[in-house]
């Protein structure tokens, strides 16, 4: 897999001296106390270049998920991967910056997949499934997600910002596909991108509030926000009006949109004097 920095893959790994000498020793296992530290952690595994690189990225992602990037060292990554610091440098000669960008690219690819959803069934159900995956990602990568979106990391660069913005744009494009318009106008695009921003902000606040309310309530509230924003946009934008009319036809009375309508109507009754 290529990284955001475009560095070529490392050459195939050579067989370590310890492994070569092991072939000449008798088959009997030496006592555990006589083994070198690496052997006590587990026997050396010969992996392909891509497999070893993926292993290092997985270890890095696990650390970046729960700690800010500046709090993770190459030694931490090497320890988590059961490797050595020189091996990490071999695959990521640019050091932690290159490793972080590669890990971020991998996480971004995973995050973009959260928004891929078959375009069938009520829109609210599709949005719910998208948000289930997105919020599961946020939950899994809590500290790393916060550091990424709050732009507080010392390893932030124009390349990392571009990766994050790419995810936002890809998410918006996926949502627009569900609205079934061939050429979305400026207002509809703005509304969808504003909702994506609101989802990000709500996710950060949710983490800051120790993941309260329960994730199912947060998901439903975010779907409500989408419907409300689309409804408001439809009052001044004919394209959005056509979209919401088509979407409402497919919504069941007992679904999220039906429940929202039954909550909104009594609330608006208090504003009858405005009509």
């Amino acid at each position: 897999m290529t990284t955001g920095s475009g560095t070529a893959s490392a050459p195939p790994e050579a067989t370590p001296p310890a492994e070569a000498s092991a072939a000449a020793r008798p088959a009997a296992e030496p006592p555990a106390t006589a083994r070198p530290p690496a052997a006590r952690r587990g026997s050396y595994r010969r992996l392909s270049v891509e497999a070893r690189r993926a292993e290092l990225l997985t270890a890095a992602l696990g650390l970046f998920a729960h700690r800010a990037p500046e709090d993770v060292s190459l030694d931490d990554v090497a320890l988590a991967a059961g490797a050595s610091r020189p091996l990490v440098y071999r695959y990521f000669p640019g050091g932690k910056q290159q490793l972080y960008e590669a890990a971020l690219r991998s996480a971004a690819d995973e995050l973009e997949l959260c928004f891929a959803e078959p375009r069938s069934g009520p829109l609210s159900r599709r949005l719910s499934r998208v948000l289930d995956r997105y919020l599961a990602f946020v939950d899994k990568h809590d500290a790393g997600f916060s550091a990424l979106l709050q732009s507080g990391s010392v390893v932030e660069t124009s390349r990392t910002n571009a990766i994050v913005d790419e995810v936002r744009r890809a998410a918006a494009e996926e949502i627009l596909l569900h609205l079934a318009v061939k050429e979305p106008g400026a207002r509809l695009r703005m509304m969808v991108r504003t909702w994506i921003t609101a989802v990000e902000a709500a996710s950060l606040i949710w983490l800051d509030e120790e993941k309260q309310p329960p994730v199912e309530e947060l998901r439903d509230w975010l779907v409500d926000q989408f419907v409300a924003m689309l409804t408001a946009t439809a009052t001044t934008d004919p394209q959005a009006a056509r979209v919401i009319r088509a979407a409402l036809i497919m919504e069941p009375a007992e679904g999220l949109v039906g429940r929202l309508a039954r909550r909104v109507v009594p609330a608006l009754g208090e504003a009858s004097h405005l009509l």
Side-chain angles (χ1 to χ4, degrees):
M1 181 173 68
T2 57
T3 70
S5 59
T7 303
S9 298
E13 298 178 38
T15 303
E19 191 171 299
S21 61
R25 290 199 298 267
E29 278 282 313
T33 54
R35 297 176 193 169
R40 287 198 295 271
R41 286 198 302 268
S43 58
Y44 186 89
R45 292 173 298 144
R46 296 189 65 183
L47 299 175
S48 69
V49 169
E50 287 303 313
R52 179 69 71 188
R53 189 174 185 279
E55 185 177 66
L56 293 172
L57 276 177
T58 297
L61 277 171
L63 294 170
F64 289 135
H66 302 292
R67 289 154 61 181
E70 54 267 30
D71 295 333
V72 177
S73 69
L74 288 182
D75 287 331
D76 294 331
V77 175
L79 182 63
S84 65
R85 183 186 178 94
L87 182 66
V88 179
Y89 264 114
R90 181 180 180 187
Y91 283 82
F92 301 96
K96 189 171 81 169
Q97 182 64 44
Q98 184 186 0
L99 177 59
Y100 176 65
E101 289 178 13
L104 180 57
R105 176 71 270 170
S106 177
D109 290 342
E110 182 182 344
L111 191 53
E112 285 183 24
L113 289 176
C114 293
F115 290 88
E117 175 69 24
R119 293 190 289 278
S120 61
L123 179 61
S124 63
R125 289 181 187 170
R126 287 179 259 166
L127 291 175
S128 293
R129 288 192 289 268
V130 165
L131 288 168
D132 279 338
R133 292 190 293 270
Y134 182 90
L135 294 172
F137 180 95
V138 172
D139 188 25
K140 179 182 175 184
H141 300 83
D142 45 17
F145 183 86
S146 295
L148 170 64
L149 292 186
Q150 289 175 327
S151 302
S153 172
V154 297
V155 295
E156 177 191 6
T157 66
S158 59
R159 288 191 297 272
T160 61
N161 288 338
I163 292 172
V164 175
D165 192 56
E166 178 187 323
V167 173
R168 292 171 178 147
R169 290 180 179 276
E173 290 303 317
E174 285 290 338
I175 297 301
L176 285 166
L177 287 175
H178 287 279
L179 302 185
V181 288
K182 292 183 179 179
E183 296 183 4
R187 291 189 183 185
L188 200 55
R189 282 186 173 278
M190 184 179 294
M191 174 251 138
V192 170
R193 294 188 65 181
T194 300
W195 181 74
I196 295 294
T197 301
V199 170
E200 284 185 5
S203 300
L204 289 171
I205 296 170
W206 181 68
L207 292 175
D208 195 48
E209 293 290 337
E210 299 182 347
K211 300 181 181 179
Q212 291 298 320
V215 68
E216 294 82 6
E217 291 183 23
L218 176 61
R219 175 203 62 206
D220 291 351
W221 182 73
L222 289 171
V223 174
D224 287 349
Q225 295 297 311
F226 185 92
V227 175
M229 292 175 68
L230 182 57
T231 302
T233 306
T235 62
T236 57
D237 181 55
Q239 187 179 56
R242 291 192 296 273
V243 167
I244 196 167
R245 281 197 296 269
L248 290 177
I249 290 173
M250 298 184 66
E251 292 290 337
E254 297 306 315
L256 285 174
V257 179
R259 293 198 295 271
L260 175 62
R262 288 191 291 275
R263 293 197 306 272
V264 167
V265 170
L268 291 180
E270 301 296 326
S272 58
H273 63 288
L274 299 176
L275 301 177

